[in-house]
Amino acid sequence: MGLLTNKVERDEIKAGDHIYTYRAVFTYSHHGIYVGGSKVVHFRPERNFNLITETSSDSYDPDPPSSCPTFPDCGFRQSNSGVVLSCLDCFLRNGSVYCFEYGVTPSVFLTKIRGGTCTTAASDPPETVIQRAMYLLQNGFGNYDVFQNNCEDFALYCKSGLLIVDRLGVGRSGQASSIIGAPLAAILSSPLKLLMPSPVGVATVTAGVYCMSRYATDIGVRSDVVKVAVEDLAVNLGWLTHHEETGEANETSNRQISMPR
Protein backbone atom coordinates (compact mmCIF):
# COMPACT_ATOMS: atom_id res chain seq x y z
CA MET A 1 0.00 0.00 0.00
CA GLY A 2 1.22 3.50 -0.81
CA LEU A 3 0.33 7.09 -0.08
CA LEU A 4 -2.01 7.37 -3.05
CA THR A 5 -3.93 4.10 -2.78
CA ASN A 6 -4.60 1.23 -0.34
CA LYS A 7 -5.42 -1.18 -3.14
CA VAL A 8 -4.23 -4.75 -2.58
CA GLU A 9 -4.58 -8.10 -4.30
CA ARG A 10 -7.02 -10.68 -2.95
CA ASP A 11 -4.25 -13.06 -1.91
CA GLU A 12 -2.68 -10.30 0.22
CA ILE A 13 -5.59 -9.83 2.64
CA LYS A 14 -5.53 -11.73 5.93
CA ALA A 15 -8.19 -12.76 8.43
CA GLY A 16 -8.93 -9.80 10.69
CA ASP A 17 -8.22 -7.18 8.04
CA HIS A 18 -10.52 -4.19 7.59
CA ILE A 19 -11.20 -4.09 3.87
CA TYR A 20 -13.30 -1.87 1.66
CA THR A 21 -14.34 -1.43 -1.94
CA TYR A 22 -15.74 1.51 -3.88
CA ARG A 23 -19.30 1.78 -5.16
CA ALA A 24 -21.02 3.96 -7.77
CA VAL A 25 -17.85 4.98 -9.63
CA PHE A 26 -15.88 5.85 -6.48
CA THR A 27 -18.72 7.91 -4.99
CA TYR A 28 -18.46 6.10 -1.65
CA SER A 29 -16.82 3.02 -0.17
CA HIS A 30 -18.32 0.00 1.57
CA HIS A 31 -16.40 -1.50 4.52
CA GLY A 32 -16.22 -4.86 6.25
CA ILE A 33 -14.06 -7.27 8.23
CA TYR A 34 -12.45 -10.14 6.37
CA VAL A 35 -12.79 -13.19 8.64
CA GLY A 36 -11.05 -15.74 6.41
CA GLY A 37 -12.39 -18.48 4.17
CA SER A 38 -13.38 -15.90 1.51
CA LYS A 39 -15.97 -14.46 3.95
CA VAL A 40 -16.61 -10.87 5.04
CA VAL A 41 -18.77 -9.62 7.91
CA HIS A 42 -20.19 -6.17 7.19
CA PHE A 43 -23.00 -3.80 8.14
CA ARG A 44 -25.84 -2.67 5.87
CA PRO A 45 -29.09 -0.78 6.37
CA GLU A 46 -31.60 -3.24 7.78
CA ARG A 47 -34.31 -1.99 5.43
CA ASN A 48 -32.33 -3.44 2.51
CA PHE A 49 -33.56 -6.85 3.59
CA ASN A 50 -37.22 -5.91 3.97
CA LEU A 51 -39.79 -5.61 1.21
CA ILE A 52 -40.75 -2.06 2.13
CA THR A 53 -41.53 0.65 -0.39
CA GLU A 54 -39.84 3.88 0.64
CA THR A 55 -39.75 7.39 -0.74
CA SER A 56 -36.68 8.40 -2.71
CA SER A 57 -35.50 10.63 0.15
CA ASP A 58 -35.14 7.59 2.41
CA SER A 59 -33.82 5.11 -0.12
CA TYR A 60 -30.08 5.42 0.52
CA ASP A 61 -28.83 1.96 -0.34
CA PRO A 62 -25.07 1.49 -0.08
CA ASP A 63 -25.13 -2.25 -0.63
CA PRO A 64 -28.31 -3.87 -1.95
CA PRO A 65 -28.70 -7.56 -1.12
CA SER A 66 -27.90 -10.23 -3.67
CA SER A 67 -28.15 -14.01 -3.95
CA CYS A 68 -24.96 -16.09 -4.11
CA PRO A 69 -24.74 -19.31 -6.16
CA THR A 70 -21.40 -20.35 -4.60
CA PHE A 71 -21.67 -20.18 -0.80
CA PRO A 72 -24.89 -21.44 0.87
CA ASP A 73 -24.35 -19.28 3.97
CA CYS A 74 -23.58 -16.12 2.00
CA GLY A 75 -26.08 -13.50 3.16
CA PHE A 76 -26.52 -15.03 6.63
CA ARG A 77 -27.85 -12.59 9.21
CA GLN A 78 -30.07 -12.53 12.27
CA SER A 79 -33.56 -11.13 11.96
CA ASN A 80 -33.82 -7.37 12.54
CA SER A 81 -30.07 -6.95 12.08
CA GLY A 82 -28.04 -5.28 9.36
CA VAL A 83 -24.85 -7.25 10.14
CA VAL A 84 -24.40 -9.84 7.42
CA LEU A 85 -21.93 -12.53 6.39
CA SER A 86 -21.07 -12.42 2.68
CA CYS A 87 -18.56 -14.14 0.46
CA LEU A 88 -15.75 -11.95 -0.81
CA ASP A 89 -17.11 -11.95 -4.37
CA CYS A 90 -20.53 -10.68 -3.31
CA PHE A 91 -18.97 -8.08 -1.02
CA LEU A 92 -16.72 -6.70 -3.77
CA ARG A 93 -19.33 -6.97 -6.56
CA ASN A 94 -16.61 -6.96 -9.23
CA GLY A 95 -14.80 -4.09 -7.53
CA SER A 96 -11.20 -3.97 -6.32
CA VAL A 97 -10.25 -4.64 -2.71
CA TYR A 98 -8.57 -2.03 -0.52
CA CYS A 99 -7.09 -2.50 2.95
CA PHE A 100 -7.79 0.13 5.62
CA GLU A 101 -4.63 1.24 7.45
CA TYR A 102 -4.27 1.49 11.23
CA GLY A 103 -1.66 3.19 13.38
CA VAL A 104 -0.57 5.67 10.70
CA THR A 105 1.37 8.75 11.70
CA PRO A 106 -0.35 12.17 11.67
CA SER A 107 1.72 13.21 8.66
CA VAL A 108 0.60 10.17 6.66
CA PHE A 109 -3.02 10.68 7.75
CA LEU A 110 -2.97 14.27 6.50
CA THR A 111 -1.61 13.23 3.11
CA LYS A 112 -4.63 11.01 2.54
CA ILE A 113 -6.92 13.49 0.84
CA ARG A 114 -9.88 11.13 0.86
CA GLY A 115 -11.42 10.09 4.18
CA GLY A 116 -12.29 6.51 5.08
CA THR A 117 -8.88 5.02 4.21
CA CYS A 118 -6.84 5.11 7.44
CA THR A 119 -6.73 6.07 11.12
CA THR A 120 -4.08 6.89 13.69
CA ALA A 121 -5.76 4.46 16.10
CA ALA A 122 -4.08 1.11 16.69
CA SER A 123 -5.67 -2.18 15.68
CA ASP A 124 -6.28 -5.00 18.12
CA PRO A 125 -4.99 -8.54 17.36
CA PRO A 126 -6.73 -10.36 14.47
CA GLU A 127 -8.34 -12.96 16.73
CA THR A 128 -9.98 -10.19 18.81
CA VAL A 129 -11.18 -8.43 15.65
CA ILE A 130 -12.75 -11.62 14.28
CA GLN A 131 -14.36 -12.43 17.64
CA ARG A 132 -16.03 -9.00 17.71
CA ALA A 133 -17.25 -9.33 14.12
CA MET A 134 -18.72 -12.80 14.69
CA TYR A 135 -20.34 -11.70 17.95
CA LEU A 136 -21.99 -8.73 16.23
CA LEU A 137 -23.12 -11.02 13.41
CA GLN A 138 -25.14 -12.88 16.02
CA ASN A 139 -26.22 -9.88 18.10
CA GLY A 140 -26.43 -6.91 15.74
CA PHE A 141 -24.88 -3.45 15.67
CA GLY A 142 -27.91 -1.25 16.28
CA ASN A 143 -29.63 0.92 13.70
CA TYR A 144 -27.77 1.97 10.58
CA ASP A 145 -27.08 5.71 10.31
CA VAL A 146 -25.14 7.25 7.44
CA PHE A 147 -23.33 9.75 9.69
CA GLN A 148 -23.15 8.06 13.10
CA ASN A 149 -23.37 4.28 12.66
CA ASN A 150 -22.44 3.05 9.20
CA CYS A 151 -20.38 0.24 7.67
CA GLU A 152 -17.09 2.02 8.34
CA ASP A 153 -18.09 2.64 11.97
CA PHE A 154 -18.78 -1.10 12.29
CA ALA A 155 -15.38 -2.10 10.89
CA LEU A 156 -13.55 0.53 12.97
CA TYR A 157 -15.18 -0.78 16.15
CA CYS A 158 -14.34 -4.39 15.30
CA LYS A 159 -10.70 -3.43 14.75
CA SER A 160 -10.19 -1.08 17.70
CA GLY A 161 -12.99 -1.65 20.21
CA LEU A 162 -13.31 2.13 20.51
CA LEU A 163 -16.68 3.74 21.08
CA ILE A 164 -17.54 7.44 20.95
CA VAL A 165 -19.15 8.73 24.14
CA ASP A 166 -20.71 11.83 22.55
CA ARG A 167 -23.57 10.44 20.44
CA LEU A 168 -24.53 13.92 19.20
CA GLY A 169 -21.45 14.42 17.08
CA VAL A 170 -20.09 12.70 13.99
CA GLY A 171 -19.33 8.99 14.33
CA ARG A 172 -16.03 7.17 13.81
CA SER A 173 -16.38 7.11 10.02
CA GLY A 174 -13.74 8.96 7.99
CA GLN A 175 -16.16 9.20 5.08
CA ALA A 176 -18.71 11.02 7.24
CA SER A 177 -15.98 13.34 8.52
CA SER A 178 -15.01 14.13 4.93
CA ILE A 179 -18.59 14.93 3.96
CA ILE A 180 -18.87 17.35 6.86
CA GLY A 181 -15.27 18.62 6.63
CA ALA A 182 -15.38 19.76 3.01
CA PRO A 183 -18.25 22.26 3.41
CA LEU A 184 -16.77 23.38 6.75
CA ALA A 185 -13.44 24.07 5.10
CA ALA A 186 -15.11 26.08 2.35
CA ILE A 187 -17.05 28.16 4.88
CA LEU A 188 -14.08 28.84 7.16
CA SER A 189 -11.74 29.75 4.32
CA SER A 190 -14.19 31.92 2.37
CA PRO A 191 -13.36 35.14 4.32
CA LEU A 192 -9.74 34.66 3.27
CA LYS A 193 -10.72 35.40 -0.31
CA LEU A 194 -10.75 39.07 0.68
CA LEU A 195 -7.16 38.81 1.95
CA MET A 196 -5.72 36.44 -0.64
CA PRO A 197 -6.04 37.60 -4.25
CA SER A 198 -4.53 34.34 -5.52
CA PRO A 199 -6.95 31.42 -6.08
CA VAL A 200 -4.05 29.07 -5.37
CA GLY A 201 -3.63 30.57 -1.91
CA VAL A 202 -7.30 30.20 -1.09
CA ALA A 203 -7.31 26.62 -2.38
CA THR A 204 -4.27 25.77 -0.26
CA VAL A 205 -5.85 27.16 2.91
CA THR A 206 -9.15 25.41 2.17
CA ALA A 207 -7.35 22.08 1.72
CA GLY A 208 -5.49 22.62 4.97
CA VAL A 209 -8.67 23.36 6.92
CA TYR A 210 -10.32 20.30 5.36
CA CYS A 211 -7.46 17.98 6.33
CA MET A 212 -7.29 19.33 9.87
CA SER A 213 -11.05 18.93 10.34
CA ARG A 214 -10.70 15.27 9.30
CA TYR A 215 -7.77 14.77 11.64
CA ALA A 216 -9.64 16.31 14.58
CA THR A 217 -12.45 13.75 14.21
CA ASP A 218 -10.17 10.71 13.86
CA ILE A 219 -10.76 8.13 16.60
CA GLY A 220 -7.04 7.97 17.26
CA VAL A 221 -6.87 11.56 18.51
CA ARG A 222 -10.37 12.22 19.86
CA SER A 223 -10.79 12.57 23.62
CA ASP A 224 -14.39 11.31 23.70
CA VAL A 225 -13.64 7.67 22.88
CA VAL A 226 -13.55 4.73 25.28
CA LYS A 227 -12.70 1.04 24.94
CA VAL A 228 -15.87 -1.05 25.24
CA ALA A 229 -16.09 -4.85 25.33
CA VAL A 230 -18.28 -6.19 22.56
CA GLU A 231 -20.46 -7.99 25.10
CA ASP A 232 -21.26 -4.62 26.70
CA LEU A 233 -21.81 -2.72 23.46
CA ALA A 234 -25.61 -2.98 23.30
CA VAL A 235 -26.10 -1.82 26.89
CA ASN A 236 -23.62 1.08 26.49
CA LEU A 237 -25.41 2.35 23.41
CA GLY A 238 -28.90 1.78 24.76
CA TRP A 239 -29.86 -0.64 21.98
CA LEU A 240 -31.19 -3.13 24.54
CA THR A 241 -31.86 -3.23 28.25
CA HIS A 242 -29.68 -5.70 30.12
CA HIS A 243 -32.63 -8.11 30.48
CA GLU A 244 -33.39 -8.00 26.77
CA GLU A 245 -29.74 -8.46 25.89
CA THR A 246 -29.48 -11.54 28.12
CA GLY A 247 -32.63 -13.01 26.59
CA GLU A 248 -31.43 -12.43 23.05
CA ALA A 249 -28.01 -13.90 23.82
CA ASN A 250 -29.60 -17.06 25.18
CA GLU A 251 -31.83 -17.36 22.15
CA THR A 252 -29.06 -16.90 19.58
CA SER A 253 -26.61 -19.18 21.40
CA ASN A 254 -28.57 -22.14 20.07
CA ARG A 255 -28.03 -21.05 16.48
CA GLN A 256 -24.76 -21.98 14.86
CA ILE A 257 -22.84 -20.34 12.09
CA SER A 258 -19.69 -22.11 10.96
CA MET A 259 -16.53 -20.11 11.48
CA PRO A 260 -14.62 -19.62 8.23
CA ARG A 261 -11.40 -21.61 8.02
Side-chain angles (χ1 to χ4, degrees), residues 20-22 26-31 60 100 114-117 144 146-147 150-153 156 170 172-181 210 214:
Y20 62 97
T21 188
Y22 287 103
F26 292 89
T27 302
Y28 62 90
S29 54
H30 185 58
H31 298 244
Y60 176 76
F100 197 98
R114 183 158 189 165
T117 61
Y144 188 98
V146 175
F147 293 104
N150 58 39
C151 60
E152 187 184 343
D153 290 313
L156 283 166
V170 67
R172 298 167 290 275
S173 169
Q175 288 188 94
S177 298
S178 296
I179 293 172
I180 295 173
Y210 164 73
R214 281 183 47 240

Side-chain angles (χ1 to χ4, degrees), residues 25-70:
V25 197
F26 292 89
T27 302
Y28 62 90
S29 54
H30 185 58
H31 298 244
I33 298 296
Y34 182 68
V35 293
S38 294
K39 301 291 177 63
V40 182
V41 177
H42 54 122
F43 186 44
R44 309 195 309 207
E46 186 183 322
R47 61 175 170 268
N48 284 351
F49 304 99
N50 301 322
L51 298 177
I52 299 176
T53 302
E54 297 177 329
T55 63
S56 58
S57 61
D58 292 328
S59 59
Y60 176 76
D61 188 5
D63 196 38
S66 61
S67 58
C68 176
T70 307

Side-chain angles (χ1 to χ4, degrees), residues 91-112:
F91 175 82
L92 295 176
R93 287 165 47 188
N94 298 319
S96 299
V97 60
Y98 298 78
C99 194
F100 197 98
E101 291 185 275
Y102 284 80
V104 302
T105 63
S107 58
V108 170
F109 183 92
L110 292 172
T111 61
K112 302 280 189 176

Side-chain angles (χ1 to χ4, degrees), residues 5-6 9 22 28 48 73 113 127 137 163 188-189 197 252:
T5 178
N6 290 350
E9 298 299 325
Y22 287 103
Y28 62 90
N48 284 351
D73 59 348
I113 300 300
E127 57 272 18
L137 177 63
L163 185 69
L188 293 179
S189 62
T252 58

Side-chain angles (χ1 to χ4, degrees), residues 5 25 40 45 62 66 76 95 120 140 152 168 179 186 195 213 215 245-246 248 256 261:
T5 178
V25 197
V40 182
S66 61
F76 172 87
T120 59
E152 187 184 343
L168 298 179
I179 293 172
L195 303 176
S213 68
Y215 180 72
E245 184 185 41
T246 303
E248 180 167 315
Q256 276 195 325
R261 296 178 182 178

